[in-house]
Amino acid sequence: MTKQDQLTVRPALPEDEAAVRDLAANMATTFEVDRDSFHTSFHALINAHGAFVLVADTGGRVGGYLLGFRHLAFFANGPIAWVEEIAVHEDLRRQGVGARLMEGFENRARAGGARLVALATRRAGDFYEAIGYEPSATYFRKLLTG
């Protein structure tokens, strides 16, 4: 049986917290993931309307996660979906885990009436293009301090 055969994309459960936190900490480049803040956010998000915390369960191991949101937007005449974070264990990359997480989110976004899925990235453009995404805009940010 291949890892792809064992892969299930499902909503995150409370017991997935440590695995998702470890993946988030390894992905983070601007901020350090604080254990207490993560705990509060994780439990709020897995229960929040319009928020999706999905995990790639690879035979009992959380091999990746996706955090996304569905919300209304004027320009789309209805809901859109935004991928905020996606991370896959390094040893599982290039095995379809990320694509399956994206597919799981797209299916949930579509079921909720979303007109599009969007995200910002600077490290994985080739991956997103390979699964049908196209570049659309430049991403700007401003860190708020204090």
Side-chain angles (χ1 to χ4, degrees), residues 80-92:
I80 64 167
W82 181 262
V83 176
E84 192 69 39
E85 301 175 17
I86 182 171
V88 173
H89 269 289
E90 192 170 340
D91 64 337
L92 294 174

Side-chain angles (χ1 to χ4, degrees), residues 7-146:
L7 176 63
T8 303
V9 173
R10 61 170 173 76
L13 302 170
E15 54 266 27
D16 298 323
E17 179 180 350
V20 173
R21 184 183 60 242
D22 289 347
L23 284 162
N26 288 332
M27 177 199 63
T29 59
T30 303
F31 300 101
E32 184 175 323
V33 175
D34 173 74
R35 182 178 297 267
D36 292 335
S37 297
F38 183 89
H39 176 78
T40 300
S41 296
F42 181 79
H43 290 278
L45 287 167
I46 64 173
N47 293 303
H49 177 74
F52 300 87
V53 183
L54 304 177
V55 296
D57 185 323
T58 58
R61 173 187 177 206
V62 173
Y65 81 92
L66 182 149
L67 170 61
F69 299 92
R70 187 185 68 240
H71 61 274
L72 294 172
F74 295 127
F75 76 89
N77 299 309
I80 64 167
W82 181 262
V83 176
E84 192 69 39
E85 301 175 17
I86 182 171
V88 173
H89 269 289
E90 192 170 340
D91 64 337
L92 294 174
R93 292 182 187 154
R94 300 193 176 277
Q95 296 181 40
V97 176
R100 290 280 301 276
L101 282 164
M102 291 296 294
E103 178 184 32
F105 180 65
E106 291 165 7
N107 290 339
R108 286 163 174 82
R110 189 179 295 107
R115 308 284 308 264
L116 68 86
V117 173
L119 57 101
T121 187
R122 62 187 162 107
R123 296 188 274 183
D126 292 342
F127 164 73
Y128 292 109
E129 288 181 13
I131 62 171
Y133 285 74
E134 60 188 36
S136 178
T138 301
Y139 178 77
F140 292 88
R141 72 179 191 170
K142 180 178 184 179
L143 296 179
L144 304 176
T145 59

